Amino acid sequence: MGKTYNIEQKIMAKDTPFLPPYFNIDPDAALAELDLPTETGGFAEIARACAQGRADLASRGLNEEGRKDLRLFSTWEITRYLIPVAQAHFRRVLKQNPDLPQGRSETEGGAKWFTLDEVLRLRAFFGAQGSKAKNYLPYRPAGQPAKMVAVANFKGGVGKTSTAAHLAMSAALDGYRVLVIDLDSQGSMTSIFGGQVEDEWQTAFPLLARHYGEYLRTENQRRLDRGDPPQPLDDALSAAMGMTAQDLIQSTHWPNIDLIGAQLNLYWAEFQVPVWRMQARGWKLWDALTDRLEADGVLDAYDLVFIDTPPALGYLTINGLAAADILLVPLGASFLEFDSTGRFFDMLHSTFASIEEGENVAARALGRPEIGFEWDAVRAVITRYDGAQQGELSGLMQAYLGKVLSPHKQDFTALIGQAGEQVNGIYEADYRDFNRETYARGRETFDATYAAFKRLLLGIWRRGELEAQQAAE
């Protein structure tokens, strides 16, 4: 009997497929591996570990002052990407104009390297010389306002912050003056640009608080005129009344990119704003960011303002979306992300239609002009694209969304991961860390992403320019 059992056992072992790893787990062994239950204080310990790791990673690439430095740009890179002229002509112009930046060589007779400040000066010189075939200077018609660009989606992991950061860097390399506003309390955009933010008073929060405080002061004057007692301004509102956007803007390691940063305490605004709204139903909270940026002259100081929003449709996101002239919605070419993005647009419609309806009922009753939100352009952008796996689905998405979905798809490349490990953007990576052609291929997708955005931007500015000319006739 025993012999028969052994034969059967061998046959069963031969015929039985390999068991998956979740079969036959020993409960006692599992218990031995288990930690003690986690109490609330355990989250603080995990947070401290993450903070230490983040500080270690973020310290890579910092200078002795603990700040980021932007790398130098070589003659090859400048003449290929930034000032497209023949290298021989570029060198000849420098030799003929000794007052221009001459760059520096790391070895005798080696390649010349330039700071971005120097590149911008050189571009201005080439632009002033004029060329019928090439526009060296960035296009922005006189009299046309800066454009605000919100990058939003309430699904995380779609490349929202990465897209906003790389567009900001692309625009800076193109010569535009850029302000980046981080409305996400996770502060990822702030980390990319090396921002230092101690608390919520160095974020966009004071702009919202001042906007509410100014409304409250105006309303209090009306209350006093009626003989009613005013609503007091608490210490926080009183402090915000003396602050402007210039108090919050910090320079970055990019000479033409500035930042209003974020950190965890900014999330407090999601709780404070609805309290203010309950206290003052007439306060137009969705106009807070726009009004303050305009009042403080921010839109005169920059060409482009990129707004990175939280992955949720909260009050901070509503402010960013309402302020925006252009809305970009990154998403992956997957069913779940397509589905989630559709729901995001549905929520946008519900939210802004509700605001319009509520405001316009009162406006019609009082004989005032009705309000209506409007965006110059709305585009969805496919990110992290794998043409071999996602071509059919992306084609289906294009068929349904039409022009709303940008025809350019941002490929995922190894360059993304390698740059991310160094807490850098693609344009901050030194091509000498890669094979030169590998670098060139890797940045192509980001150059194409910016090209698609720039066509949108220039079309919007040109439309505004022509409308202004027709109005003046």
Side-chain angles (χ1 to χ4, degrees):
M1 186 71 176
K3 188 176 181 180
T4 304
Y5 173 78
N6 288 336
I7 293 173
E8 290 178 352
Q9 192 176 45
K10 289 179 181 179
I11 294 172
M12 288 177 63
K14 183 178 179 180
D15 294 341
T16 301
F18 178 76
L19 291 177
Y22 48 82
F23 270 70
N24 296 336
I25 296 176
D26 182 1
D28 289 323
L31 174 60
E33 298 169 1
L34 191 64
D35 295 332
L36 294 174
T38 299
E39 298 179 348
T40 303
F43 293 132
E45 295 178 12
I46 298 170
R48 278 193 294 270
C50 289
Q52 290 173 354
R54 177 196 175 280
D56 176 56
L57 291 170
S59 66
R60 301 177 184 181
L62 298 185
N63 59 24
E64 294 179 356
E65 289 77 35
R67 306 276 301 184
K68 274 191 169 185
D69 282 328
L70 185 60
R71 66 178 179 86
L72 301 178
F73 297 82
S74 73
T75 299
W76 169 79
E77 194 173 8
I78 292 168
T79 56
R80 174 160 181 165
Y81 295 110
L82 306 178
I83 307 174
V85 297
Q87 289 192 44
H89 177 61
F90 182 80
R91 295 191 185 98
R92 186 163 53 250
V93 169
L94 294 189
K95 186 175 182 179
Q96 293 170 352
N97 297 274
D99 292 339
L100 290 175
Q102 298 296 309
R104 59 203 63 97
S105 298
E106 296 179 346
T107 59
E108 187 173 348
K112 292 290 187 70
W113 295 80
F114 300 78
T115 67
L116 183 55
D117 261 328
E118 292 171 333
V119 173
L120 295 175
R121 285 177 56 193
L122 291 169
R123 176 187 275 130
F125 178 84
F126 277 89
Q129 300 306 301
S131 170
K132 295 180 180 179
K134 300 171 184 175
N135 295 319
Y136 294 109
L137 300 179
Y139 172 85
R140 176 182 172 183
Q144 288 300 301
K147 289 299 177 181
M148 291 197 277
V149 185
V151 184
N153 198 330
F154 64 21
K155 184 170 179 60
V158 296
K160 178 177 58 64
T161 299
S162 175
T163 297
H166 284 108
L167 285 175
M169 293 177 188
S170 297
L173 290 173
D174 205 16
Y176 288 111
R177 299 165 299 166
V178 177
L179 175 66
V180 174
I181 301 178
D182 193 352
L183 293 183
D184 189 346
S185 59
Q186 296 178 82
S188 298
M189 181 71 83
T190 303
S191 295
I192 289 172
F193 286 104
Q196 305 292 325
V197 181
E198 296 297 326
D199 55 33
E200 69 272 18
W201 291 99
Q202 294 177 320
T203 71
F205 174 75
L207 300 180
L208 310 185
R210 179 169 179 177
H211 191 268
Y212 173 70
E214 289 179 339
Y215 172 83
L216 202 57
R217 277 187 176 174
T218 302
E219 188 62 24
N220 279 342
Q221 187 58 54
R222 295 194 185 101
R223 293 173 67 91
L224 288 171
D225 292 343
R226 296 195 303 266
D228 296 332
Q231 296 185 49
L233 271 69
D234 59 27
D235 292 342
L237 290 176
S238 297
M241 295 300 285
M243 298 185 68
T244 66
Q246 284 72 20
D247 297 319
L248 309 172
I249 294 173
Q250 54 182 291
S251 59
T252 73
H253 55 296
W254 286 72
N256 51 347
I257 299 180
D258 290 338
L259 170 73
I260 296 180
Q263 58 102 259
L264 191 59
N265 287 2
L266 178 59
Y267 193 69
W268 181 50
E270 297 290 358
F271 300 95
Q272 185 60 59
V273 168
V275 172
W276 291 338
R277 177 68 170 163
M278 290 294 292
Q279 293 172 345
R281 287 288 185 180
W283 176 49
K284 295 177 174 54
L285 64 92
W286 46 86
D287 286 339
L289 186 61
T290 311
D291 289 349
R292 287 311 319 159
L293 292 176
E294 288 180 347
D296 293 338
V298 169
L299 302 188
D300 296 324
Y302 299 94
D303 301 304
L304 287 163
V305 179
F306 286 96
I307 304 171
D308 188 36
T309 63
L313 193 55
Y315 293 102
L316 290 169
T317 300
I318 288 173
N319 259 280
L321 294 174
D325 303 293
I326 301 171
L327 171 59
L328 300 179
V329 181
L331 74 158
S334 74
F335 168 78
L336 291 178
E337 293 187 34
F338 187 32
D339 179 57
S340 175
T341 300
R343 297 175 194 276
F344 175 67
F345 279 112
D346 190 38
M347 285 191 67
L348 291 184
H349 169 257
S350 299
T351 300
F352 287 102
S354 176
I355 294 171
E356 289 174 348
E357 182 179 359
E359 288 295 300
N360 290 336
V361 167
R364 287 190 290 269
L366 297 171
R368 296 174 180 170
E370 297 185 15
I371 72 163
F373 293 96
E374 184 177 80
W375 291 264
D376 288 324
V378 175
R379 291 291 184 273
V381 183
I382 291 179
T383 58
R384 301 173 293 109
Y385 179 65
D386 181 351
Q389 303 291 329
Q390 300 173 326
E392 183 178 354
L393 182 54
S394 67
L396 183 66
M397 293 165 62
Q398 192 82 61
Y400 279 107
L401 289 176
K403 292 188 70 174
V404 170
L405 182 62
S406 172
H408 168 68
K409 304 167 185 66
Q410 185 173 288
D411 297 326
F412 182 86
T413 69
L415 195 61
I416 298 174
Q418 289 176 271
E421 288 177 4
Q422 301 299 320
V423 201
N424 285 326
I426 300 304
Y427 296 110
E428 295 174 324
D430 191 326
Y431 69 81
R432 291 173 295 179
D433 294 335
F434 313 88
N435 172 280
R436 183 182 289 190
E437 290 309 311
T438 298
Y439 173 82
R441 287 194 303 271
R443 66 171 282 169
E444 279 178 3
T445 186
F446 293 92
D447 290 344
T449 299
Y450 176 64
F453 167 77
K454 188 177 178 181
R455 289 183 68 86
L456 201 64
L457 173 68
L458 267 56
I460 291 167
W461 266 333
R462 180 60 174 160
R463 181 170 62 192
E465 183 182 28
L466 293 175
E467 290 174 351
Q469 291 173 359
Q470 292 172 1
E473 292 175 355

